[in-house]
Each structure stands twice: as C-alpha cells, then as structure tokens.
C-alpha cells in the first residue's frame, strides 16, 4: 500500500461528506500531491460515463475534477441505482450486472463485492500519493454493520484514519456525534481520529463551549467547524436544489423562467446546473402539487424508471398540463427518459425498467421507444442536425456529452433527429440522436450534458429572451461552465482550508504538509 489514506464518514446521510471530500481533493492537489477520491459503494441516480464507457456516481466525478484527474470507475466500483421500492440496478466497475432486492444485495452480493472493491482501491493506491475515501450514511446503522461494505470495513481495508462529520444546520449535531461513537465497536471508535462540524451559521465564538463539550465527552479532537458556504456551487450527489428566489436576477435585463419536472426517479438533474447558474435564468423543480405557473420552457429530465414516472405524470395531472402548455406555444425539451416520454408510446416487454409493459407517451414527438436489457453508456461528440426554435445550425454547433440509457427509440419517417453523433467512445460514427417536432417547439435527445456547452446554452436562453421581447445577452456577460467550476472548487478549498486544522490532518496522514503552494 503506497499511498496515504484518510476517510470521511458521517453521522447521517446528507451531512456534506461528498463536498468535503471534494474540498480535500482540491486542497491536496493545490499542495502538490496527486490525490484521488474513492467511494466503494454509492447509491445514486446521478451518474456519469467515463471515456471508456463505464458508469459511475456523479459525486466521485466531481471529486475527481476537484483533484484534477480524469474520472475512473475505480473511484466508485459499486454503483446502486434505485429502480423502485427496495430494489436497485447494480453497476460493477462501470457495467450493470442486474437488478437486485435490498435483501438479496446485502446478504448475497455485497460480501462477494469486497474483492472487487479492494482491487479498485489498490489500483488507486498504487497510482497516487493519497486517497480520500468517502463513507455512506452512518457507520452506526447497527442493522447494516454485519454486511456493510462502505464504512468501517473499508476504513480497516485501507488502514485509514476516520474523520466524523455532523451537520449542525439540521440540529442535533452534538447528540449525533456522541450517539454514533457510542454505537460503533471499540476498535472502530478508536479509528475515528477527529470530528468535523459542518454547515455552521452564526458567531463561531458562541460555539466554543460545544467544541469543548464534544472533546471532553468523546475524547476526540474537533478538527474544524466549516461554515454554511454560499455564493458558489459544488454539485450535489443526489439532492434536488431548493427552489431559489434568485434575488440576484437583474431586473433591468430581465430573465427567463425554466421549469424542470421533478420526477420520482429523476436522474442526472445536474444536467441543469449550468442553466440555474446563468444570471438571467430562474430554474424551478416542479413536483406533484406544485404549479407550473407560466414557464418560458418546460424540461422533462432523465429517469431510472421512465414508464413508472410517466404513469406518475398521468396520475398527478402534470402530463395534461405539459401538453396544454405546448398547445399554447410553450417549448418542451426532453433529456433521455424525458425524451422517451415525449413520444407516442413506450414499450417494456421484458420488464427491463418497470412492471408496466406498455404506456402511451405524451405524443409531442412521433417516436416509439422499446426498452432492452443492454445498456448504452458512452461519451459522445455531436452536432446540431434538427431545425426549429432551438436547433439552428451555426458555425459553432458542436456539443459534448454522454449517453446512459436502455431504450431504443424509432422515429417516424418524416421526423428529423435533433443531433447527429459524430464520435462515440473515441470512434468516428454518423448516428442520428433524438428528435424534433415539425413546429420546432419540442425536441428530445439521449445526450446528457448538452447544457454544459456554453454557446448552445446561451443561444437557447437568448431564444427564450427574444420570445419575451428581451434583448439577448452576450456570452461575455454570462457563464462559462468549466471556468466557473474551477473557480468554485478553489473557493470551496479556501473555505474548508481556513476552517480545518490542516496540520492535524497532515499529521493523521503521517505527512509533513504541503510540498508546494498554489
């Protein structure tokens, strides 16, 4: 074992483990080390496709970007994608191996996965100076401890000291720390070498008595108190962003309103982060019981259970609302599963995704989708092929993205595709993707990440602006996705570095500290 290791575990889910791992990856990179993230098992519907076609959790992709590395499935060897009640698709080293119930996975498959996890971890250890490991949920889930493969068992495998994170913004942070340490085995308790309090608001001096209490009660040092940071974004693992009022929208410039339908099995909602970060966009996630209001654009996102989520749209009345808005002239875009829902029909004869064998689609595109067991996971380069409201062909009409889908969609003879895929997994191809309606108001695509393209995204937003009688904004006044993400990683690193006792963390790693500054 060549690389040093450290592990971030939490007192519960959503305490900020993923973001703190990303912060440490950027800090160690800035300090001159080659560092990689690792999470043995991730349960998430936000996923990504690597250059070689492997599927992995989006959180580890973000952490890899923070570390300055290309994502690898070794960073997340086991990915669980929930498909319904107490069942998930199991993705191992980037490839799906089938759907398993929660009981079947924990008792039968998880123990067999340890060798796969250890192999992936060892490859990262051999290629890096250090590996920052993320746990999942809480190590104190006594009902899961016997079969878990993501918390203390991995800490022991990696010989990693553990930092325990609690979210004080939710309340009960002190009790959760004390209770977690009480419920884990003595040997694992000894492996916890420090405590991090996350998402703190207010005057830090008023929290010092709590720090003293925790250290005296647990015998563990509080390594730092991280503030609730605002003003920059690091992509979340699996939490829909709260609807923001966007007070910073510039009224004199005006803004456009985009409604994303929040499906029960929504996947890859990070597709829409670049839209939300634009200065003239109000992006909302609309759920059952929510009002679509009067959006300038409706987006149907990806789904891990497309037919099930389409049935939800029908039951909730959202399907009828979407069709009615289209008839009144509101444009609609579908990504992956959302694209499939826009068609005439969806067929699942082998019950690949659902127990429902067939369901009528929204009928906004003349297409038919049939699900199949084989999963397509590939990075792509494409160009605009369709026409209409958003798909005008220009000198700069290339996009990069990735596909993750199990359906095959057939277009009626007179339907034009939205894009043409020119490169798939590094090989030149010429393959149609998606579809666009004859009136140009509706288009769908299998390609995730199309809004990461700065020029395509800005043209789309400016088209919406013109429809509202607003002047278009110049690209120089708006977001550049890659540059913004790099700035946000640096801002995150600065906040976390100033909040944690980094000299103590280096001490836990057995290292003297930075080898360079920058």
């Amino acid at each position: 074992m060549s690389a040093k290791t450290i592990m971030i575990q939490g007192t519960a889910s959503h305490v900020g483990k993923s973001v703190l791992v990303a912060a440490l990856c950027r800090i160690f990179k800035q300090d001159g080390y080659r560092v990689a993230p690792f999470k043995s098992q991730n349960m998430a519907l936000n996923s990504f496709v690597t250059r070689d076609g492997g599927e992995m959790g989006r959180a580890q992709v973000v952490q890899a970007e923070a570390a300055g590395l290309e994502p690898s499935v070794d960073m997340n060897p086991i990915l669980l994608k929930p498909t319904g009640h107490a069942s998930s698709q199991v993705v191992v080293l980037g490839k799906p191996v089938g759907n398993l119930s929660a009981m079947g996975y924990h008792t039968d498959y998880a123990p067999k996965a340890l060798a796969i996890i250890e192999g992936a971890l060892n490859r990262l250890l051999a290629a890096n100076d250090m590996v920052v490991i993320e746990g999942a949920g809480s190590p104190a889930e006594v009902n899961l401890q016997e079969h878990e493969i993501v918390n203390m068992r991995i800490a022991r495998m990696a010989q990693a000291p553990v930092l325990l994170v609690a979210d004080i913004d939710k309340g009960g942070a002190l009790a959760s720390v004390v209770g977690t340490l009480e419920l884990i085995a003595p040997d694992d308790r000894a492996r916890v070498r420090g405590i991090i309090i996350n998402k703190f608001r207010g005057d830090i001096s008023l929290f010092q008595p709590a720090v003293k209490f925790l250290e005296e009660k647990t015998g563990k040092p509080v390594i730092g108190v991280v503030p609730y940071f605002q003003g920059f974004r690091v992509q979340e693992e699996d939490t829909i962003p709260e609807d923001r009022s966007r007070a910073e929208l510039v009224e004199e410039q005006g803004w456009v309103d985009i409604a994303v339908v929040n499906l029960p099995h929504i996947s890859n909602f990070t597709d829409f982060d670049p839209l939300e970060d634009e200065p003239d966009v109000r992006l909302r996630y609309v759920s059952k019981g929510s009002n679509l209001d009067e959006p300038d654009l409706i987006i149907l996102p990806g789904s891990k259970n497309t037919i099930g989520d389409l049935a939800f749209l029908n039951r909730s009345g959202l399907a009828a609302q979407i069709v009615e808005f289209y008839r009144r002239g509101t444009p609609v875009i579908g990504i992956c599963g959302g694209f499939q829902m826009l068609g005439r029909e969806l067929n699942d004869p082998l019950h690949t995704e659902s127990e429902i064998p067939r369901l009528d689609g929204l009928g906004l595109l003349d297409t038919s989708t049939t699900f199949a067991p084989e999963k397509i996971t590939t990075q792509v380069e494409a160009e605009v092929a369709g026409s209409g409201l958003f798909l005008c062909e220009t000198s700069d009409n290339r996009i990069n993205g990735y596909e993750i889908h199990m359906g095959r969609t057939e277009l009626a003879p007179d339907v034009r595709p939205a894009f043409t895929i020119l490169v798939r997994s590094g090989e030149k191809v010429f393959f149609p993707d998606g579809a666009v309606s004859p009136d140009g108001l509706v288009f769908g695509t299998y390609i995730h990440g199309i809004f990461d393209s700065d020029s395509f995204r800005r043209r789309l937003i400016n088209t919406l602006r013109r429809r509202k009688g607003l002047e278009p904004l110049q690209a120089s006044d708006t977001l550049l996705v890659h540059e913004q993400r790099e700035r946000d990683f640096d801002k995150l690193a600065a906040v976390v570095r100033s909040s944690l006792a980094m000299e103590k963390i280096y001490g836990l790693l057995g290292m003297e500290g930075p080898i360079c500054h920058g």
Side-chain angles (χ1 to χ4, degrees):
M1 185 178 296
S2 55
K4 303 294 186 179
T5 59
I6 193 163
M7 188 168 190
I8 302 295
Q9 295 187 21
T11 59
S13 298
H14 307 301
V15 298
K17 297 185 294 290
S18 296
V19 173
L20 288 176
V21 169
L24 288 173
C25 284
R26 178 50 63 106
I27 289 170
F28 291 138
K29 175 183 181 293
Q30 291 172 338
D31 288 354
Y33 294 100
R34 183 174 174 87
V35 55
F38 180 75
K39 186 169 185 177
S40 58
Q41 172 191 283
N42 196 348
M43 177 174 281
L45 288 175
N46 272 346
S47 60
F48 177 81
V49 176
T50 62
R51 187 186 297 272
D52 58 359
E55 187 178 5
M56 61 183 289
R58 184 79 195 182
Q60 281 62 63
V61 173
V62 172
Q63 293 160 359
E65 291 173 348
L69 298 180
E70 184 166 345
S72 161
V73 296
D74 281 342
M75 299 170 183
N76 174 214
I78 309 291
L79 173 64
L80 305 179
K81 303 188 76 174
T83 57
H85 179 65
S87 65
S88 294
Q89 182 185 68
V90 182
V91 180
V92 179
L93 291 177
K95 301 300 179 185
V97 299
N99 291 352
L100 292 175
S101 68
M103 179 64 71
Y105 177 77
H106 284 293
T107 59
D108 297 331
Y109 192 85
K112 303 173 187 176
L114 278 173
I116 295 169
I117 291 168
E118 187 169 20
L121 176 60
N122 286 339
R123 286 189 290 274
L124 293 179
L125 292 172
N128 295 279
D129 300 316
M130 58 180 71
V131 176
V132 184
I133 306 171
E134 180 185 345
S138 164
E141 304 291 349
V142 294
N143 56 310
L144 299 178
Q145 286 177 356
E146 182 180 356
H147 300 292
E148 68 91 5
I149 56 171
V150 69
N151 285 312
M152 285 301 178
R153 184 172 274 113
I154 303 304
R156 294 192 292 270
M157 177 189 293
Q159 301 177 29
V162 173
L163 299 180
L164 184 65
V165 181
D167 177 359
I168 196 170
D169 192 53
K170 295 178 180 177
L174 276 65
S176 66
V177 170
V178 174
T180 297
L181 292 171
E182 179 66 25
L183 289 173
I184 59 178
D187 288 348
D188 291 334
R189 194 178 308 134
R191 192 170 290 281
V192 177
R193 305 295 298 279
I195 298 164
I196 297 175
I197 301 299
N198 198 23
K199 304 181 188 179
F200 181 82
R201 303 176 192 253
D203 187 341
I204 189 67
S205 65
L206 299 178
F207 191 65
Q208 292 310 306
V211 170
K212 182 180 179 182
F213 165 82
L214 274 180
E215 292 184 332
E216 292 178 350
K217 181 71 175 178
T218 66
K220 311 289 183 183
V222 174
I223 298 293
V225 179
V226 180
Y228 194 106
F229 55 82
Q230 295 177 309
F232 60 93
R233 174 204 295 280
V234 176
Q235 289 182 332
E236 296 284 354
E237 179 176 44
D238 228 21
T239 304
I240 295 289
E242 296 177 2
D243 185 18
R244 297 174 173 84
S245 63
R246 295 304 303 271
E248 73 272 23
L249 291 171
V250 182
E251 290 298 330
E252 59 265 28
Q253 289 183 332
W255 47 274
V256 298
D257 183 80
I258 298 176
V260 178
V261 180
N262 185 5
L263 303 168
H265 300 92
I266 187 173
S267 64
N268 291 70
F269 59 79
T270 49
D271 281 345
F272 314 115
D273 285 357
L275 290 171
E276 186 176 16
D277 288 339
E278 286 284 2
D280 57 337
V281 171
R282 180 193 180 210
L283 188 135
R284 299 177 289 118
Y285 288 88
V286 179
S287 306
K288 178 181 179 181
S290 302
N291 196 333
L292 279 171
D293 292 327
E294 294 292 333
D296 300 305
L297 169 66
I298 297 171
I299 299 179
L300 278 172
S303 166
K304 190 62 193 74
N305 189 335
T306 306
I307 290 183
D309 281 352
L310 178 57
F312 157 79
L313 291 183
N314 290 331
R315 292 193 307 270
S316 67
L318 284 170
Q321 290 184 55
I322 293 167
V323 173
E324 178 60 27
F325 271 106
Y326 160 71
R327 289 173 178 164
R328 289 160 46 186
T330 301
V332 182
I333 295 174
I335 307 295
C336 199
F339 162 45
Q340 295 167 341
M341 294 180 199
L342 293 174
R344 287 183 288 103
E345 62 177 1
L346 289 82
N347 300 286
D348 194 1
L350 301 178
H351 302 292
T352 301
E353 281 199 355
S354 171
E355 292 302 312
I356 304 172
R358 184 193 176 280
L359 198 62
D360 287 337
L362 299 182
L364 303 187
L365 293 173
D366 195 0
T367 62
S368 173
T369 296
T370 300
F371 293 95
E374 181 186 358
K375 192 173 195 177
I376 293 176
T377 56
T378 180
Q379 289 190 3
V380 299
E381 297 177 29
E383 66 179 4
V384 172
S387 59
L389 187 63
F390 299 123
L391 299 176
C392 56
E393 296 188 26
T394 69
S395 58
D396 184 16
N397 64 355
R398 290 288 189 102
I399 60 168
N400 295 306
Y402 54 98
E403 299 174 278
I404 309 175
H405 60 94
M406 302 183 80
R408 309 295 185 269
T409 299
E410 294 184 2
L411 281 58
D414 59 344
V415 175
R416 187 172 181 180
F419 300 97
T420 300
I421 295 175
L422 303 177
V423 180
R424 232 180 193 169
S425 296
E427 296 183 1
K428 291 184 178 181
V429 296
F430 193 84
F431 191 84
D433 167 77
V436 58
S437 64
D439 60 9
L441 278 177
V442 180
F443 84 81
T445 175
Y446 274 119
I447 304 174
H448 293 279
I450 62 172
F451 301 119
D452 282 13
S453 167
D454 297 321
S455 57
F456 179 82
R457 183 182 66 256
R458 179 40 49 186
R459 285 199 302 271
L460 181 144
I461 296 170
N462 280 341
T463 297
L464 296 174
R465 291 180 64 86
R466 291 187 184 95
R467 296 187 96 219
K468 294 185 71 170
L470 301 171
E471 288 295 318
L473 297 187
Q474 299 299 315
S476 59
D477 298 327
T478 61
L479 177 73
L480 296 176
V481 167
H482 176 73
E483 293 180 7
Q484 183 66 52
R485 285 178 182 166
E486 285 297 302
R487 287 196 294 268
D488 287 348
F489 282 137
D490 287 339
K491 290 178 181 178
L492 172 67
V495 169
V496 173
R497 186 192 290 272
S498 66
S499 304
L500 300 184
M502 286 304 301
E503 71 282 359
K504 293 183 180 179
I505 293 177
Y506 273 114
L508 293 175
L509 288 163
M511 307 173 77
E512 292 187 0
I515 56 177
C516 70
H517 297 275

